[in-house]
Amino acid sequence: DFDSKKKRKVAEIYQALNSDPIDVATLRRMAISEGGLLTDEIRRKVWPKLLSVNTDDLPPLPEDNKDYQQVLLDVRRSLRRFPPGMPDEQREGLQEELIDIILHVLKRNPQLHYYQGYHDIVVTFLLVVGDRLATALVEKLSTHHLRDFMDPTMDNTKHILNYLMPIIDQVNPEVHDFMQSAEVGTIFALSWLITWFGHVLSDFRHVVRLYDFFLACHPLMPIYFAAVIVLYRKQEVLDCECDMASVHHLLSQIPQDLPYETLISKAGDLFVQFPPSELAREAAQQQAERTAASTFKDFELASVQQRPDTVLRQRFRERQRGEERTKSILTKPRTNRFVKLAVMGLTVALGAAALAVVKSALEWAPKFELQIFP
């Protein structure tokens, strides 16, 4: 039953934490699997391990910064991100800590530029792990997973958004073509991506569950999750008027009752089936070195036993065992699509659907630039 499964999972997490060296691969698997890391107490122990942050050497808190006024305005607007019923005095104290964390990261990393929505990510860490640890975790996150959002321009953020449509196209060409005909673009998913859905989900439990998942995976996983949300709503999309305003309005209003565990599972599967390297070739025009996500391999190699792609591949293979794959999810002919299908069928039959991911999943190159910001 649920309680016994939860107890077993908690025991496995603590066993991984107490291993020497710490079994980060198992911690990643626990963060990805159903229910994620279960409690904030566990998250306080595991999130630093997923980001390779040394909790024995936490940084001091900061002084004022050129971004102070903008940060202050955003933080004052963050009231809804704090638990309902929290006393004003406690909330105001947390808002001050939130400002301190953001200014600390920006002061220590002058190459980073503040963006609206960044505070939505920071407040999640603050509420889960407290100010000192949140400062260290957010700094590591800002120089790796979130790096491309913190450039002086939005060019790399737009490039990341450009991965959304190729993922949708691989799974459901009909939805892809409908959205292209409507000329809706991908701007509806911008706040999803740059806040890791923290800004658009009202239930904090769902937010931290997604953070478990994203911290355990490749930096591009949020865009796969965004694609899965669109695909989950495929009938709503196809029933919509085929014009930009109607489709944008529909998609920008994210449902709050999504089947999160199912969507997390599907996002992980799609990452394995259609790794970033494969999608990048379809969207080619930009040099891979321009985006921080292309340096994720360096970050991963510096993190003992941190192999998010391996965890996803193993999880995908386990699901495939015993299943007969009699037809492809790729339903619409495309150039080379049937060749890809034949190769995919062979590798699945061999129990290695993501052999190519070993070498190429982290070779991430956001490519073609859609006119999503006229």
Side-chain angles (χ1 to χ4, degrees):
D1 62 359
F2 175 77
D3 287 340
S4 60
K5 283 174 62 177
K6 182 177 178 180
K7 288 179 181 177
R8 285 197 299 272
K9 187 169 192 177
V10 169
E12 193 166 354
I13 290 171
Y14 278 100
Q15 183 178 355
L17 284 169
N18 293 326
S19 298
D20 188 14
I22 291 171
D23 187 353
V24 181
T26 292
L27 295 179
R28 285 193 182 280
R29 182 164 53 84
M30 296 292 100
I32 292 169
S33 63
E34 184 177 0
L37 296 174
L38 302 173
T39 70
D40 287 353
E41 180 183 356
I42 292 175
R43 290 184 178 101
R44 284 190 282 273
K45 298 177 185 297
V46 175
W47 282 5
K49 308 308 177 188
L50 297 180
L51 287 173
S52 290
V53 166
N54 181 4
T55 56
D56 295 327
D57 186 25
L58 298 179
L61 292 176
E63 303 168 6
D64 281 358
N65 176 280
K66 63 181 175 61
D67 295 295
Y68 176 79
Q69 289 302 326
Q70 183 60 55
V71 173
L72 179 63
L73 289 173
D74 286 347
V75 167
R76 283 177 175 168
R77 289 194 291 260
S78 67
L79 179 63
R80 65 185 233 9
R81 291 303 315 279
F82 293 93
M86 176 178 284
D88 288 346
E89 184 178 343
Q90 183 181 0
R91 175 183 52 78
E92 290 167 4
L94 286 171
Q95 286 180 317
E96 288 297 323
E97 291 174 359
L98 180 56
I99 293 171
D100 287 344
I101 293 168
I102 293 172
L103 296 182
H104 170 87
V105 173
L106 295 175
K107 183 171 184 178
R108 279 173 51 97
N109 299 274
Q111 78 279 13
L112 301 179
H113 297 261
Y114 177 78
Y115 64 88
Q116 286 185 283
Y118 181 68
H119 71 286
D120 282 297
I121 287 184
V122 180
V123 73
T124 303
F125 283 90
L126 173 60
L127 290 172
V128 173
V129 304
D131 60 341
R132 290 291 303 282
L133 183 50
T135 302
L137 297 183
V138 167
E139 182 170 11
K140 176 61 74 70
L141 198 69
S142 300
T143 54
H144 291 86
H145 296 66
L146 306 179
R147 178 64 183 83
D148 294 314
F149 308 146
M150 305 189 77
D151 279 347
T153 72
M154 291 191 67
D155 288 348
N156 283 336
T157 302
K158 289 190 289 183
H159 291 315
I160 298 171
L161 281 168
N162 287 338
Y163 274 69
L164 181 67
M165 295 305 291
I167 299 169
I168 293 171
D169 188 31
Q170 292 287 357
V171 180
N172 193 318
E174 183 183 9
V175 171
H176 169 272
D177 292 351
F178 181 90
M179 292 175 66
Q180 292 286 71
S181 296
E183 299 183 338
V184 68
T186 55
I187 192 67
F188 65 86
L190 176 63
S191 64
W192 305 358
L193 180 68
I194 66 176
T195 70
W196 278 11
F197 298 84
H199 183 72
V200 293
L201 297 181
S202 57
D203 192 326
F204 192 69
R205 294 173 305 163
H206 298 151
V207 175
V208 294
R209 173 65 187 101
L210 287 180
Y211 278 42
D212 291 343
F213 180 49
F214 296 151
L215 285 170
C217 293
H218 189 281
L220 263 183
M221 190 55 77
I223 206 69
Y224 281 82
F225 192 79
V228 165
I229 290 178
V230 175
L231 292 164
Y232 173 74
R233 304 182 70 193
K234 60 186 176 184
Q235 199 55 55
E236 291 178 78
V237 173
L238 296 174
D239 289 343
C240 194
E241 291 292 327
C242 190
D243 63 74
M244 182 180 69
S246 299
V247 179
H248 177 85
H249 178 73
L250 171 72
L251 291 175
S252 61
Q253 305 297 312
I254 190 169
Q256 298 296 311
D257 59 348
L258 295 168
Y260 291 94
E261 294 299 337
T262 300
L263 298 184
I264 285 170
S265 178
K266 288 184 177 179
D269 290 348
L270 287 183
F271 181 91
V272 173
Q273 290 174 282
F274 310 111
S277 56
E278 181 176 326
L279 300 176
R281 285 192 289 272
E282 296 181 15
Q285 273 174 22
Q286 204 55 28
Q287 289 296 322
E289 290 77 12
R290 285 197 58 189
T291 56
S294 67
T295 68
F296 183 68
K297 191 168 187 177
D298 298 331
F299 171 55
E300 185 190 37
L301 291 175
S303 308
V304 179
Q305 299 186 40
Q306 297 204 30
R307 304 290 303 178
D309 294 2
T310 300
V311 172
L312 288 170
R313 287 198 305 277
Q314 290 170 346
R315 193 167 166 278
F316 181 73
R317 287 200 297 268
E318 288 169 4
R319 185 177 293 105
Q320 292 301 315
R321 289 193 186 105
E323 294 183 6
E324 291 185 4
R325 293 178 59 87
T326 57
K327 60 183 179 180
S328 172
I329 61 172
L330 309 179
T331 59
K332 181 175 179 179
R334 289 283 195 276
T335 305
N336 295 328
R337 182 163 282 184
F338 293 114
V339 174
K340 292 180 183 178
L341 175 59
V343 173
M344 189 69 173
L346 175 61
T347 54
V348 169
L350 295 174
L355 286 174
V357 182
V358 176
K359 292 185 178 179
S360 63
L362 300 174
E363 296 168 4
W364 184 58
K367 305 292 186 179
F368 66 78
E369 185 166 341
L370 296 174
Q371 297 302 312
I372 58 175
F373 295 109

